Amino acid sequence: MTFREGCWRRRLRGEWFPGTRLTLRALASELGTSVQPVRDAIGKLTVERVLVLRPNYSVQIPNIDRELMDEIFAIRNLLEAEAARRCVSVMTDADIDDLEEAILATRRVYWVESEIPSRVTTIQGVSRILAERCGSEALCEQLINLRARTAPYYAAALARSDDGEDAEFVTFTIRIQDEFVTALRRRDEVAAAEIRKVDLYTFQHYIYRLLDVE
């Protein structure tokens, strides 16, 4: 695994919270390599806006910023709706079964205690399947980037959640997700796209509430 791939993996898993600062030397030491390959990879990751370059040879996960979060989620909402629309025509019944299993796994996250990276990975499972099986490589790449950029927010929010806060949200989102699977099985492009937008928008504002940025 290259350094860049490792950064992507850790970012997608929510191993770094918003505002986390990382030095090039520490990252190089962790990987067991020189600073130069790390610097080259960091350059690419900052262009992709996954990391922010700081003075004194350090990088940072972007801080919690309502304006930036609104922008990222708005784009992700549009693109995931398009991925859902495309999935209607290209997904097999077995693919939809896999998606339904991913949905069921996300529900268990709220009731079963586990490490934050595992929870973030599970919650992003539905988005991952939609991206990978929508039939568009370009769309998949864009959605991976957006997942990486939202994962630290998910991690920070889940670290603040508790069962009492989750119950109402989970009840609502279960109903939405069931309707989403039904729309896919009916091969209804319009309904699948619109329901996915509602599901993601609902989760977005659940995250906002936990982060106290509403």
Side-chain angles (χ1 to χ4, degrees), residues 58-185:
S58 67
V59 290
Q60 179 179 320
I61 304 299
N63 284 310
I64 294 173
D65 180 311
R66 174 60 188 266
E67 185 175 352
L68 175 60
M69 292 170 69
D70 282 348
E71 178 185 358
I72 294 171
F73 274 109
I75 297 170
R76 182 170 172 180
N77 195 298
L78 290 171
L79 294 185
E80 287 211 16
E82 174 61 16
R85 186 190 69 78
R86 288 170 175 260
C87 281
V88 166
S89 59
V90 299
M91 269 188 162
T92 64
D93 289 339
D95 288 330
I96 298 174
D97 289 342
D98 289 344
L99 183 69
E100 190 166 23
E101 282 299 316
I103 286 173
L104 293 174
T106 67
R107 296 174 187 175
R108 291 191 288 269
V109 162
Y110 300 102
W111 312 120
V112 179
E113 194 69 30
S114 60
E115 296 294 327
I116 293 296
S118 175
R119 297 177 75 189
V120 172
T121 300
T122 300
I123 285 172
Q124 299 244 45
V126 175
S127 297
R128 177 183 56 79
I129 291 174
L130 289 175
E132 291 176 351
R133 306 190 193 182
C134 70
S136 169
E137 184 176 342
L139 184 54
C140 181
E141 289 175 355
Q142 292 297 317
L143 287 173
I144 290 172
N145 177 273
L146 293 170
R147 280 173 46 222
R149 295 176 69 186
T150 52
Y153 304 137
Y154 288 10
L158 290 171
R160 302 182 186 186
S161 68
D162 61 46
D163 290 348
E165 289 183 325
D166 291 342
E168 184 178 353
F169 162 74
V170 172
T171 299
F172 177 78
T173 202
I174 284 173
R175 185 167 70 251
I176 293 297
Q177 290 173 343
D178 285 344
E179 291 179 5
F180 180 56
V181 173
T182 298
L184 289 173
R185 294 198 187 281

Side-chain angles (χ1 to χ4, degrees), residues 28-77:
S29 176
E30 181 179 328
L31 188 66
T33 187
S34 64
V35 170
Q36 188 57 48
V38 175
R39 184 179 289 113
D40 292 342
I42 290 296
K44 295 176 181 177
L45 291 167
T46 54
V47 168
E48 294 165 344
R49 301 179 69 183
V50 173
L51 298 174
V52 177
L53 189 61
R54 306 289 301 181
N56 303 320
Y57 302 102
S58 67
V59 290
Q60 179 179 320
I61 304 299
N63 284 310
I64 294 173
D65 180 311
R66 174 60 188 266
E67 185 175 352
L68 175 60
M69 292 170 69
D70 282 348
E71 178 185 358
I72 294 171
F73 274 109
I75 297 170
R76 182 170 172 180
N77 195 298

